[in-house]
Amino acid sequence: MHTLLHLRLASSANSHYSLFAMSAASLALPSSLSSLRANGAAPPRCFRLHNPSRSRVFMSVSVGSQAVVDDALFADYKPTSAFLFPGQGAQAVGMGKEAQSVPAAAELYKKANDILGFDLLDVCINGPKEKLDSTVISQPAIYVTSLAAVELLRTRDGGQQIIDSVDVTCGLSLGEYTALAFAGAFSFEEGLKLVKLRGEAMQEAADAAKSAMVSVIGLDSEKVQQLCDAANQEVDEADNVQIANYLCPGNYAVSGGVKGVEAVEAKAKSFKARMTVRLAVAGAFHTSFMDPAVSRLEAALAATQVTSPVQWETTVKTLLTKGLKKSYELGPGK
């Protein structure tokens, strides 16, 4: 049975990479550290907590078309404990069930109902799966459930101490909004309104074109790029594919037109990929297929990361290089 809290601890570099190798297929998309660019690959985005016990951010991250954080400010930064929040694709019917027994977590769903206009917890627990998997539902569902997981953790033995120990938080694409909310950059309600708009805009963009995403397992990024190039030779330009998520060594998500994604799946074995996994998302996220979503979101944000490749692998390597000792992944899951 899927439970509300998905919590894993990694205490060494090797086990930390295992964490992401195991988790990546059920996640979806990540973030960056120093830029809010609308186009091109983005560096990793982490949010440093100045006072973890009060969930305050070290520096504010304003939205705009220019880089707003100087990497030099992080030169002497030594993170020790991280909260990681998942992106779209982590949803599963039954998630959030435990929230009913934790007042602070249940309250988040009640607040969400007022903002969204429907009973989110009911969809999370009872589905149907097709409804929960829709972008317009799954994005707010994962955002709320992930923050509810924090409240559930808070009630467990040692949970508050874990929360207080966290000094950096990261999010995989959609999870970036969750990370910002946890860090105190904006309120739960403000974040949910942005996620609601994001989900609606990305759903509309996905509906406008037949597109998809697939994880390619067992190849390095260079081989995956060669696989994409080979697939693109067999389809029209409108169905071209590209690497959208750099998740971890051996796991890269490819986005593009359905025919292009099918070509990747058909050719993967010949490139010696171990397997491919079609992702439970509505379309080709983090590619030009999402351009309509950018224009829709511009009213709320000056720039957004929905057309740029996701650099999660670099995010993890950056944290490990900086000395990260422990990480906790909170969100829907087993």
Side-chain angles (χ1 to χ4, degrees):
M1 179 182 73
H2 291 278
T3 57
L4 171 68
L5 178 64
H6 176 41
L7 176 62
R8 290 178 182 164
L9 169 63
S11 57
S12 69
N14 289 336
S15 62
H16 195 84
Y17 275 113
S18 297
L19 167 71
F20 286 93
M22 290 186 292
S23 302
S26 66
L27 303 183
L29 325 164
S31 11
S32 78
L33 179 66
S34 64
S35 173
L36 289 170
R37 295 179 295 190
N39 296 292
R45 178 178 297 149
C46 309
F47 303 105
R48 174 179 176 180
L49 304 185
H50 176 57
N51 186 339
S53 64
R54 295 186 179 182
S55 295
R56 299 297 182 187
V57 289
F58 171 70
M59 62 184 68
S60 62
V61 181
S62 61
V63 289
S65 58
Q66 302 299 317
V68 294
V69 178
D70 186 348
D71 283 349
L73 294 172
F74 290 83
D76 62 346
Y77 180 46
K78 301 295 182 184
T80 59
S81 184
F83 268 3
L84 314 174
F85 294 104
Q88 193 172 349
Q91 71 276 0
V93 173
M95 71 186 201
K97 190 172 184 178
E98 293 177 69
Q100 299 173 96
S101 62
V102 178
E107 182 63 23
L108 295 181
Y109 287 95
K110 291 179 182 178
K111 290 180 179 179
N113 293 347
D114 294 335
I115 294 172
L116 300 174
F118 62 89
D119 191 336
L120 179 66
L121 184 58
D122 178 67
V123 179
C124 287
I125 294 175
N126 301 310
K129 183 180 184 299
E130 293 74 18
K131 184 175 183 179
L132 181 60
D133 283 349
S134 67
T135 299
V136 72
I137 301 292
S138 63
Q139 291 201 17
I142 293 167
Y143 171 85
V144 175
T145 300
S146 297
L147 291 172
V150 175
E151 297 306 320
L152 180 60
L153 175 62
R154 199 186 304 276
T155 66
R156 295 187 171 178
D157 290 341
Q160 186 61 55
Q161 287 77 13
I162 290 174
I163 294 171
D164 291 344
S165 73
V166 171
D167 53 12
V168 63
T169 181
C170 310
L172 190 70
S173 187
L174 164 67
E176 179 183 318
Y177 292 77
T178 318
L180 281 166
F182 172 74
F186 46 60
S187 70
F188 168 80
E189 293 87 351
E190 290 169 334
L192 181 56
K193 289 175 182 177
L194 287 173
V195 169
K196 177 178 182 289
L197 177 61
R198 185 182 192 267
E200 291 170 349
M202 293 176 72
Q203 182 75 60
E204 289 181 11
D207 290 343
K210 293 181 178 180
S211 59
M213 294 184 71
V214 60
S215 276
V216 180
I217 314 296
L219 298 179
D220 61 29
S221 59
E222 184 177 348
K223 281 288 186 183
V224 175
Q225 184 58 57
Q226 293 173 5
L227 173 58
C228 290
D229 293 340
N232 288 339
Q233 292 178 4
E234 297 190 358
V235 299
D236 294 336
E237 185 176 353
D239 279 305
N240 276 3
V241 294
Q242 68 182 69
I243 300 176
N245 300 345
Y246 292 79
L247 293 166
C248 66
N251 192 334
Y252 301 93
V254 170
S255 283
V258 171
K259 290 182 179 178
V261 168
E262 289 173 346
V264 167
E265 292 170 330
K267 290 179 173 294
K269 289 293 184 182
S270 66
F271 278 78
K272 309 222 182 296
R274 184 159 60 86
M275 62 186 297
T276 60
V277 179
R278 187 75 71 97
L279 298 180
V281 297
F285 298 159
H286 294 273
T287 70
S288 59
F289 281 83
M290 291 294 108
D291 282 340
V294 174
S295 59
R296 174 86 186 274
L297 283 166
E298 281 178 345
L301 299 172
T304 186
Q305 295 288 339
V306 295
T307 63
S308 306
V310 163
Q311 301 288 342
W312 189 248
E313 180 180 349
T314 307
T315 300
V316 177
K317 287 181 177 179
T318 299
L319 290 175
L320 292 175
T321 300
K322 290 288 187 179
L324 186 73
K325 302 301 181 185
K326 296 179 181 179
S327 66
Y328 304 84
E329 181 182 348
L330 290 93
K334 296 180 181 180

